[in-house]
Amino acid sequence: MKQRKHPKALPYLFLSEMWERFGYYLMIGIFTLYLKDANQGFEMTEAESASLYGTFIALVFFTPFIGGLLADRVLGYRLPIVIGGILMGVGYCMMGVHSFSMLYSGMILVIAGNGLFKPNISTLLGNLYNNDEHRDQKDEGYNLFYMGINIGAFACNIVSAFLINKYGYSIAFVGAGIGMFVGVVVFLLGNKHYTGGDVKKVSVPGEKPWWIDLMIVVVPAILFAVIGYFINGVPSETNEHSFLVKDDVTDAFLFACIPVIFFFGYVLFTSPKNERRVVSAILVVCIAVIPFWAIFKQNGTVLTTWANNYTNRDVPNSMKNGLKSMYLADVIDYKKSDEPTPVLDKHFRKVGEEEAIQYPSYFKNYERTPELKEKDQVVVFNTNIFQSVNPFWVIVLTPLIVGIFRFLRLRKLEPSIPIKFVLGLFITGLSCLVMVQAANASMNGEMKSSYWWFFGAYGVITVGELCLSPIGLSMVSKLAPARLTALLMGAWFISTSIGNKLSGVIASLWDQYDDKSSFFMLNFYLMMGATLILIVLLPWLLKVFREQKK
């Protein structure tokens, strides 16, 4: 059997997304470290940085609903991708300017730019696989596309380590912007190959104008967000500001989701009868993966904190001189600080407002501390380097997973999309158990754990990720009615957005857990609950998906 080639546009979209993700993951890999840094950043607490991180990445994945709708009905797909890429590149550069106004302005540009870029490059790719020649290669195409994402996500953290060690955080953010601009240039070079996929949807008789759909969602969402921000619960000693959930911003986001949920309910119940079952199945799957994102997106908060404070980051002796000379390793001096710094307890939490002259916090649970002498140096991997572990596993495992599914497909044994989702949720839950064992092996943070626990946890969660994330994009593109493709792609990104915000809410609880293994068990229970719910719905989902193949 002759192996068919993929569309000619795939390499350009692959490289465009690779460079776009290079910029995004470089920025997000240093985001909470920058917020918490006392010298170059804003000296935020763990809870403050986790909350802002969760809100930021939630909004980053909320705006694709709007960008997808505009592209679907008005702009086509190519123009929003270019505009969105430019906005993100400028936003990354602005975030490196050390002021809250520039930080927030840059974040707003990134949020808006991602809304234009992210859903439309995914939809454009899917459209190019909608002809008879390439239709059954769509899952494979999205997996290859997903590998491009992770090549960028892997390389960016090595580059950012160099930029931070040599120049500081500000230049690292500029590096993210440059990566985004390169992605835009690559996309423009492949422009002629996108024609077949850049097709605006044709309105059907009786269908509302696009701007009405936009107003039905966006205006109520903004109104509800304002209500959520200012509405107060019952004040108490532990809740002085009387927020309802975690903080006022979280209340605002959750309230904003209410009209969005009602909108998709409206889309479902006003769909023609022959479309209603598949639309409901797609929406159910979108809801089911929210817990996955709530766990997976803790890579920028809890797992970054684990790498920074609880992981032995020592560089092997054979690599120390080389990495130091290339500015790819951090050097921590064993000497007391020149100025008073906040006192931390054994779990790196600030103890009141007390400050003292003390050694760097890395040495609090470092097993070699007793043998160190004043002004000794320890050469360690930068914390953000550990953000490359997940994309490393994606790059390694994607060909294997694609090969296994192709082998099964040729023998008509490939698991259906709902079964892949169940497997993905279950395997993600198992990764939480690896971190439970990491916490136990480190005696609950009394000593630093081996970074091999980190590699193991990410290896497991990556298998779950590959059964979920690229398959989800393919599912919407493959099964959604043509007139609803952008809306339902928006539903997928909104479910990601909600999961991202919940990841920040859960991560903000980190300091409240004295037993860190209990925190990871909380994640495990959340994933197992989502898995069981999807298993219960599996017979119905399988029936709906089989009907769509006929």
Side-chain angles (χ1 to χ4, degrees):
M1 181 177 169
K2 185 178 179 181
Q3 180 65 41
R4 286 169 295 156
K5 293 182 179 179
H6 287 269
K8 291 182 180 179
L10 179 61
Y12 294 97
L13 296 177
F14 175 101
L15 291 171
S16 300
E17 184 73 350
M18 183 190 79
W19 279 107
E20 184 271 327
R21 291 290 92 178
F22 173 95
Y24 178 77
Y25 282 112
L26 192 159
M27 177 276 298
I28 212 69
I30 63 177
F31 186 69
T32 56
L33 296 172
Y34 175 57
L35 295 179
K36 292 186 288 186
D37 190 274
N39 298 316
Q40 300 180 56
F42 301 95
E43 203 174 352
M44 289 188 181
T45 65
E46 190 71 40
E48 289 169 342
S49 64
S51 179
L52 183 57
Y53 169 89
T55 302
F56 178 40
I57 62 174
L59 293 175
V60 161
F61 280 89
F62 184 88
T63 51
F65 166 76
I66 300 171
L69 186 60
L70 287 172
D72 215 29
R73 308 279 189 87
V74 184
L75 300 174
Y77 299 108
R78 285 179 284 186
L79 181 61
I81 290 170
V82 174
I83 295 173
I86 293 172
L87 288 176
M88 281 192 286
V90 174
Y92 295 149
C93 296
M94 290 175 64
M95 289 173 68
V97 180
H98 190 249
S99 77
F100 275 114
S101 60
M102 292 296 284
L103 174 69
Y104 292 136
S105 297
M107 289 167 63
I108 289 170
L109 289 183
V110 172
I111 290 164
N114 190 75
L116 293 170
F117 188 101
K118 188 67 177 173
N120 296 319
I121 196 168
S122 300
T123 303
L124 180 60
L125 177 69
N127 288 348
L128 293 166
Y129 281 87
N130 281 342
N131 54 53
D132 292 336
E133 181 183 0
H134 298 297
R135 186 169 285 109
D136 63 355
Q137 293 178 292
K138 183 172 283 191
D139 281 1
E140 188 175 317
Y142 270 109
N143 270 303
L144 292 170
F145 181 70
Y146 202 67
M147 188 163 69
I149 291 174
N150 285 279
I151 291 174
F154 173 78
C156 70
N157 295 299
I158 299 171
V159 174
S160 70
F162 167 79
L163 294 174
I164 290 169
N165 292 333
K166 188 168 177 61
Y167 302 108
Y169 280 107
S170 293
I171 300 301
F173 281 104
V174 173
I178 292 172
M180 184 65 255
F181 294 138
V182 172
V184 172
V185 172
V186 172
F187 180 80
L188 290 172
L189 291 174
N191 190 52
K192 65 181 180 180
H193 298 299
Y194 312 139
T195 306
D198 191 11
V199 181
K200 288 185 285 188
K201 298 297 184 293
V202 178
S203 298
V204 299
E207 187 176 22
K208 299 185 303 299
W210 65 272
W211 59 269
I212 292 181
D213 278 340
L214 197 60
M215 295 295 286
I216 287 173
V217 178
V218 176
V219 173
I222 293 173
L223 178 61
F224 271 68
V226 172
I227 293 172
Y229 186 85
F230 288 105
I231 196 170
N232 291 323
V234 179
S236 67
E237 292 183 3
T238 59
N239 187 5
E240 295 179 5
H241 300 287
S242 60
F243 45 76
L244 298 178
V245 181
K246 185 64 184 173
D247 52 52
D248 291 329
V249 173
T250 300
D251 290 349
F253 179 82
L254 294 178
F255 267 66
C257 290
I258 294 173
V260 176
I261 293 169
F262 273 95
F263 172 76
F264 281 105
Y266 170 79
V267 170
L268 172 62
F269 289 109
T270 57
S271 296
K273 191 173 182 180
N274 62 320
E275 294 179 355
R276 201 170 299 165
R277 282 167 62 81
V278 70
V279 172
S280 62
I282 291 172
L283 292 177
V284 164
V285 171
C286 288
I287 294 170
V289 299
I290 289 174
F292 166 77
W293 296 115
I295 303 307
F296 182 76
K297 288 299 182 178
Q298 290 176 28
N299 57 354
T301 51
V302 168
L303 291 183
T304 295
T305 297
W306 186 266
N308 192 58
N309 296 334
Y310 297 91
T311 299
N312 188 324
R313 295 184 277 123
D314 284 9
V315 174
N317 289 328
S318 59
M319 301 170 63
K320 283 183 180 178
N321 291 333
L323 293 181
K324 278 176 63 179
S325 65
M326 294 186 292
Y327 296 95
L328 292 177
D330 192 14
V331 178
I332 305 177
D333 295 319
Y334 185 68
K335 67 174 185 178
K336 290 189 175 182
S337 55
D338 296 329
E339 297 180 358
T341 56
V343 176
L344 307 178
D345 68 9
K346 66 178 182 179
H347 286 304
F348 300 87
R349 298 172 294 201
K350 288 184 181 180
V351 181
E353 299 299 322
E354 184 181 1
E355 294 189 347
I357 303 295
Q358 54 194 329
Y359 291 100
S361 61
Y362 183 78
F363 299 108
K364 288 185 68 66
N365 56 356
Y366 185 55
E367 62 181 16
R368 288 182 50 217
T369 296
E371 63 191 61
L372 292 176
K373 298 177 181 178
E374 192 73 19
K375 297 186 179 180
D376 278 353
Q377 290 185 332
V378 176
V379 181
V380 299
F381 291 108
N382 286 70
T383 301
N384 61 300
I385 286 287
F386 287 82
Q387 290 286 323
S388 287
V389 176
N390 172 238
F392 163 80
W393 278 119
V394 173
I395 295 166
V396 170
L397 294 175
T398 292
L400 177 63
I401 299 297
V402 169
I404 290 173
F405 286 147
R406 181 190 296 169
F407 175 84
L408 294 173
R409 183 169 66 248
L410 292 175
R411 287 155 182 77
K412 301 188 183 303
L413 296 172
E414 183 180 14
S416 65
I417 289 174
I419 291 177
K420 288 179 182 178
F421 273 71
V422 169
L423 289 172
L425 293 175
F426 178 74
I427 293 169
T428 300
L430 296 182
S431 73
C432 302
L433 293 183
V434 178
M435 289 308 300
V436 169
Q437 292 306 310
N440 291 334
S442 68
M443 297 177 8
N444 194 33
E446 294 288 339
M447 56 185 289
K448 294 189 185 295
S449 66
S450 167
Y451 47 64
W452 292 112
W453 286 110
F454 219 84
F455 272 85
Y458 267 123
V460 176
I461 201 172
T462 300
V463 177
E465 177 191 0
L466 289 173
C467 291
L468 281 165
S469 189
I471 303 302
L473 295 173
S474 177
M475 172 197 70
V476 176
S477 177
K478 187 185 298 182
L479 298 178
R483 67 183 187 86
L484 295 175
T485 301
L487 279 178
L488 292 176
M489 192 70 80
W492 174 261
F493 284 113
I494 286 174
S495 71
T496 307
S497 170
I498 296 171
N500 288 349
K501 179 56 188 172
L502 290 178
S503 77
V505 173
I506 296 171
S508 68
L509 301 175
W510 174 257
D511 279 345
Q512 298 179 25
Y513 279 80
D514 289 328
D515 182 357
K516 301 306 181 184
S517 64
S518 296
F519 177 89
F520 293 117
M521 282 301 298
L522 171 68
N523 287 346
F524 172 74
Y525 293 139
L526 182 62
M527 290 310 308
M528 289 303 102
T531 303
L532 289 174
I533 291 171
L534 204 57
I535 288 174
V536 171
L537 295 171
L538 193 57
W540 172 71
L541 288 170
L542 288 172
K543 184 178 179 181
V544 174
F545 279 58
R546 276 196 298 266
E547 289 172 355
Q548 291 305 117
K549 286 187 175 182
K550 293 180 180 178

